[in-house]
């Protein structure tokens, strides 16, 4: 069992930066794929970023490429999402998720993730 708790969200202005954190309790995720998703009001939850078990393989949705960075600290069982040059369209609840080893692991597929956090709100004003 794994419990995930996100933090670091808040209200910022366009162009500002935030670093979101996701702390895990219970089982560690040193060998797991970590993902970040977001859900804006009235919209479906969408993929944002993912990081492989080795901390090297990364994937980002096109809308955040170049201004977003995902990282992990396996000792602290924490994954981070650095958001730079924030835009109003980045406003959403951000969720972290854990993907355990399977016969096939997909960075972007929500159905491939086994554990989810409660989310942290990011609001970007113009």
């Amino acid at each position: 069992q794994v419990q995930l708790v996100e933090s670091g969200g808040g209200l910022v202005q366009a162009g500002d930066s935030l670093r979101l954190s996701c702390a895990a309790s219970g089982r560690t995720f040193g060998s797991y794929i970590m993902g970040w998703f977001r859900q804006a009001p009235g919209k479906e939850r969408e993929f944002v970023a993912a990081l492989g078990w080795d901390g090297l393989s990364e994937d980002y949705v096109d809308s955040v490429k170049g201004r977003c960075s995902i990282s992990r600290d396996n000792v602290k069982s924490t994954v981070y999402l650095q958001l730079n040059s924030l835009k109003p369209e980045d406003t959403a609840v951000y969720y972290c998720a854990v993907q355990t080893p399977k016969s096939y692991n997909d960075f972007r597929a929500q159905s491939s993730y086994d554990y989810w956090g409660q989310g942290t709100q990011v609001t970007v004003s113009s």
Side-chain angles (χ1 to χ4, degrees), residues 34-107:
M34 301 299 303
W36 283 94
F37 294 78
R38 66 186 180 186
Q39 186 170 23
K43 298 181 64 177
E44 298 289 337
R45 186 159 57 191
E46 66 173 351
F47 170 81
V48 178
L51 184 64
W53 68 270
D54 58 0
L56 299 176
S57 301
E58 302 175 22
D59 191 24
Y60 301 93
V61 69
D62 287 345
S63 60
V64 304
K65 285 183 178 178
R67 58 188 187 90
C68 181
S69 179
I70 185 172
S71 61
R72 65 197 300 166
D73 185 333
N74 290 336
V75 175
K76 295 182 178 180
S77 296
T78 301
V79 63
Y80 305 95
L81 186 70
Q82 179 71 38
L83 299 167
N84 301 317
S85 301
L86 285 163
K87 306 174 181 179
E89 50 263 46
D90 293 319
T91 295
V93 176
Y94 284 71
Y95 300 88
C96 67
V98 170
Q99 183 174 157
T100 57
K102 301 177 176 63
S103 59
Y104 175 72
N105 289 99
D106 189 329
F107 274 18

